Every structure is written in C-alpha cells, then in structure tokens.
Amino acid sequence: MNPASGAQAERTGLAWRRTALAAAACTVLLLHSAAQRHWGVTLVPVVLSAGTSALLAAFGMLRERALRTPEPGPARRVLPAIASLAVTATAASVFVFH
C-alpha cells in the first residue's frame, strides 16, 4: 500500500464520519422538536433519522476498511443507493409527520 492510498482511505472515512455526524445532529434537532410537540407521530422522523445516522456510520466504516486492504476493489454500488434511500425516506417523513 502506498502512502497515497492510505490518505485516500482516511479522507473517505472522514467524509463518511462527517456525514454521519451531521445526520446525528439532525436527529438531535428532530428529537428536540418532537419533545416540544408532545411526541406522538413526530417521533417517526426521529427514529428514521437515528437509523440513517447509524447506517451512514456503518457504511463509512465498511468503505474505509475496504480501502485499507492491499488491493481495494471497486465500491459497491448498493451502499450509496441504500444510504440515499434512507436519507430520502427520512426527509419525506419530516414533511409528512412534522
């Protein structure tokens, strides 16, 4: 493994972590909003957002680990597709239940 590929793996991992952290911050904001609205169905976006945060963190860890192997293969196309679907479902739930 050359130093450039190690830096690429680290940059990719940091980008996924940053995205997961931003999703976690949105979860906290949605949780605060749900508490002000006395819970109920406003808890649906909170749960979806928390799941999306965990999903993004897990995918990031998998991708970074894959890039650190001696011969990293191409990225699986299904991971970003699932992450995009989770983000879209969370955003739609905010519009429907909030």
Side-chain angles (χ1 to χ4, degrees):
M1 178 185 313
N2 60 25
S5 63
Q8 178 188 4
E10 186 173 350
R11 283 192 308 269
T12 300
L14 288 172
W16 278 96
R17 282 186 205 130
R18 188 173 49 245
T19 304
L21 184 61
C26 290
T27 302
V28 171
L29 291 173
L30 286 170
L31 185 64
H32 177 70
S33 178
Q36 287 182 335
R37 295 172 187 239
H38 305 292
W39 307 104
V41 295
T42 58
L43 203 57
V44 172
V46 174
V47 172
L48 287 174
S49 182
T52 299
S53 298
L55 191 70
L56 289 169
F59 285 171
M61 183 184 66
L62 288 173
R63 186 61 190 145
E64 182 179 9
R65 191 173 290 165
L67 285 174
R68 290 194 185 276
T69 61
E71 289 295 323
R76 293 188 204 164
R77 293 178 189 243
V78 71
L79 297 182
I82 292 172
S84 297
L85 183 63
V87 169
T88 303
T90 302
S93 73
V94 169
F95 286 117
V96 171
F97 296 109
H98 243 263

